[in-house]
Amino acid sequence: MSNLLSPPAGFNFSQLPSNLIPGDANPPWMSKGDNAWQLVAATLVGLQSVQALYYCMEEQSKRNGQMSFGDKLIPIWGKVDVALEQDYLFQKAFLGMFPNATMVFFQFVFAAITLILIAGALLGRMNFYAWMLFVPLWLTFSYTFGAYTIWSTAGWLSVAGIIDYSGGYVIHLSSGVAGFTAAYWVGPRSTKDRERFPPNNILLMLAGAGLLWMGWTGFNGGDPYQASIDASLAVLNTHVAAATSLLTWLILDVIFLGKPSVIGAVQGMITGLVAITPAAGVVQGWAAIVIGLCSGSIPWFTMMVVHKKSELLQKVDDTMAVFHTHAVAGSLGGILTGLFANPRLCFLFYGTSNKYYGLFYGLHDRQIHTGIRQMGLQLLGILFVVVLNVVMTSLVCLLVQLIVPLRMSEEDMEIGDEAAHGEEAYAIWGQGDRLEKSAGFSAYNDDTAGAARSGYNTSKNQVEMV
C-alpha cells in the first residue's frame, strides 16, 4: 500500500493543491484522510471506555504499546520500550498511513475498554487499591501477550494466519476469561447483593448502551487503519449483527420467559457486537445476519440454562455476566469467522491472497486443507487466550493479594460507595462530599462540615425537615 501512495521519482509536489503539499507536519507517507478517520475511530472507542481510560492511560501509553506492537522479543511478546518520545511518535506507524501518535491513541483505548469489561465482573466487592495494582500488572503481563501474539505483524498466531479483525480474541474473550478468573479469586458479593442487584437506572443504562453501540462504529470501522471500502463494510456488518442479535434475544425472552425486557435487549445487543468483532470486515452481509442469530441465541442459552445448572458458574460471582456476553460470544465469533471468512475480503484487509480462508469457502473452492487449517487456527487462538488469561490473571491476583486484600471488608461492602470513596453515586444535598479527609476546599461552612462529620443522621434530618 505504501508503494501505491509514494510519488514517482521526480514528482513535483508543487503541482498539488496547497492543502496536500507535504511539509514538516505532513510527511509524504501520511494520508490526511486516513489519519482523520483513525483519530475519530479512536475517539468513538474512547467514549465506550471513558472510565477505564483514567485507570490505564498512564501505563498503557508509556510501555504497553511497544510490548504489544513493537520489536519482537519472543513470538508472543514485544520488547519493553517507552512510546512517548517525539522521534517515535512522529514516525510512520507499523501499519497505516498515519503516525505512531495516532496508533498509540487508538490502541490504548482498546486496552482501556478491556479493563472496564473485567471490572464489570468484579463490581461490588473488589478492594479499590487492589484494583489499582491489578490494572498495570494485568495489562503488562496478560493483555500485551495476547495483543502481540494475535495482532502484531510478528506475533506467533498472527504470522500463522489467525483472523481476529478487531478484538474478538484480544479484547472480548480475554476480558471474559480474565474477569471470570479474577471473580473466582476475589470471591462473591454479599448475599444481599447477589439475591437482588437491579439496574441503578434503566434510562441511564439505555443511554450507556446507545453510546456503546454507536461507539462500535469506531471499534470495528477503525481496524483497517484506513477509510476504505472494507471499513465501510465492517461498520455495516457491525450494526446488522447487533440488531439481529438483539431481536433474537428478545424473541427468546418472549417465548420462554413470557415478556421482553430492556436488560435482555441490551444483553443481545452486546453479544451481537462482540460476536461480529472478529469477523466484521471479512464476512459478507448474509454472514453477519447468521452471526447475529447465533450470538442472540447461544449466549442466551448459556446464560439462562447452562449457568443455572453449572456448579462452577453458580459458584463464581460474575456480576455483569461478562463470561457469557464476552467470553462465550467472543469465542463464538471467532469460530464463525473461521467458517464464513471470505477470501476476497480477507485480501482487502490483510493484503495477502489464499492465506485466510473460511472453511465453507474452502470447501466450495476445493481449498479444503486451507479451510480446515483456518478453523484449526481459530480454535487454537481460543485455547491460547483462555490458558493465557487463566494463568496470568491468577498470578496477578495472587501477587496483589500479598500486598493488599483483594476484597473489601464485609462492613465496607455493606456501606458501599461511601466506604470505598467517601462519596455516594446519588447524594442528597452534599451527602456525597467527603469531608473527613478532604485535602481541598469545602462547599460548606465550618458548622455544616462539623455536622456532616458526625454521620448521615444530621443530613437525613435536614432533608426530612425540608
Side-chain angles (χ1 to χ4, degrees), residues 357-376:
Y357 235 100
L359 178 58
F360 288 162
Y361 288 94
L363 296 174
H364 179 270
D365 297 342
R366 296 187 179 180
Q367 297 283 341
I368 300 175
H369 174 75
T370 307
I372 293 176
R373 181 178 182 277
Q374 190 67 62
M375 277 302 302

Side-chain angles (χ1 to χ4, degrees), residues 5-127:
L5 295 181
S6 298
F11 181 80
N12 186 359
F13 283 108
S14 64
Q15 299 172 2
L16 295 171
S18 59
N19 66 316
L20 296 180
I21 296 176
D24 291 341
N26 298 286
W29 50 259
M30 190 179 78
S31 166
K32 289 186 176 181
D34 289 350
N35 191 39
W37 165 238
Q38 210 62 37
L39 289 169
V40 170
T43 302
L44 288 170
V45 179
L47 287 173
Q48 299 177 303
S49 55
V50 63
Q51 181 181 348
L53 293 181
Y54 175 78
Y55 299 133
C56 65
M57 176 175 10
E58 184 72 15
E59 186 67 22
Q60 175 64 12
S61 297
K62 287 185 177 179
R63 289 192 293 274
N64 291 349
Q66 291 278 42
M67 295 164 73
S68 298
F69 301 99
D71 296 332
K72 180 178 177 180
L73 178 64
I74 56 177
I76 61 173
W77 214 24
K79 293 179 180 178
V80 179
D81 202 352
V82 176
L84 288 181
E85 295 95 345
Q86 172 182 309
D87 290 343
Y88 171 79
L89 293 177
F90 286 172
Q91 292 174 9
K92 181 178 178 294
F94 72 99
L95 289 173
M97 294 298 160
F98 46 79
N100 277 322
T102 300
M103 180 63 80
V104 169
F105 177 38
F106 186 71
Q107 294 299 339
F108 93 68
V109 291
F110 272 76
I113 201 167
T114 310
L115 262 299
I116 201 170
L117 294 176
I118 294 174
L122 303 170
L123 290 177
R125 78 277 198 187
M126 189 171 189
N127 180 356

Side-chain angles (χ1 to χ4, degrees), residues 51 55 115-128 131 179-180 182-183 186-190 193-194 197-200 317-322 406-408 413 416-417 421:
Q51 181 181 348
Y55 299 133
L115 262 299
I116 201 170
L117 294 176
I118 294 174
L122 303 170
L123 290 177
R125 78 277 198 187
M126 189 171 189
N127 180 356
F128 185 75
W131 174 250
F180 188 81
V186 174
R189 288 165 290 164
S190 64
D193 282 344
R194 292 197 74 179
F197 198 70
N200 196 300
D317 183 16
D318 176 3
T319 309
M320 302 301 291
V322 175
L406 283 176
R407 287 174 61 84
M408 299 171 66
M413 283 193 288
D417 293 329
H421 307 292

